[in-house]
Amino acid sequence: MKLLHASLCLISLLLVLPSIFAASSSKDFDFFYFVQQWPGSYCDTQKSCCYPTSGKPAADFGIHGLWPNYKDGTYPSNCDASKPFDSSTISDLISSMKQSWPTLACPSGSGEAFWEHEWEKHGTCSEAVIDQHEYFQTSLNLKKKTNLLGALTKAGINPDGNSYSLESIRGSIKASTGFTPWIECNRDGSGNSQLYQVYLCVNRSASGLIECPVFPRGKCGAEIEFPSF
């Protein structure tokens, strides 16, 4: 009987171990991409652009997300279905979220659908390091710290519809933050390359910026437009 009991316990353990290792693996990652989006490019190149119920966002870079990533360029996603987005956990951040993390996708609503998507797809994969409140608070802090628009305008790069060299955009952000950004571009209806998103890398503990171990794929033209909003 004891031998049978031990065998059953071993079988149960073997059945459970794969799910344990899978959960652990899915939540493991090497660093974060902190991604900020220029609203002028989004609204100029998307088929539909809607302002949130709070009104037109400020002409500033908005947060897109804080994305756990691997050094090989792949990323985990939707890691923990048992931890859905709960707006009550960030009730003290809502006002700042509406300003710094607005949604322009239609229908935009209050913005909570966007935040829910970002937490459940990306945030749940970083729970070993930061909880839901810390995930959003950290993102808000990073936006304030990096101040992309300030870095660009200080260098004479303004959202005025003119084109600027990719190197000058990248260089001004690096000069301000101390770290090399990756620039993502969109193309408008005329085929112009536009400044769309800026990626900076954050260490695994989410405590500070680092040089990116790997950049996403894709490239911009040598000259890119900085559209107004």
Side-chain angles (χ1 to χ4, degrees), residues 118-163:
E118 290 301 312
W119 166 254
E120 294 184 359
K121 182 176 181 179
H122 301 289
T124 55
C125 299
S126 62
E127 289 177 304
V129 178
I130 49 178
D131 62 25
Q132 191 166 159
H133 185 276
E134 291 169 329
Y135 176 81
F136 290 105
Q137 181 67 75
T138 297
S139 299
L140 291 170
N141 292 345
L142 285 167
K143 180 186 183 306
K144 184 176 181 179
K145 179 179 180 179
T146 55
N147 185 20
L148 295 182
L149 185 60
L152 292 170
T153 56
K154 183 179 179 180
I157 301 170
N158 300 295
D160 52 13
N162 289 320
S163 292

Side-chain angles (χ1 to χ4, degrees), residues 202-215:
V202 180
N203 61 23
R204 190 181 183 279
S205 63
S207 61
L209 297 174
I210 59 171
E211 285 294 338
C212 290
V214 63
F215 287 128

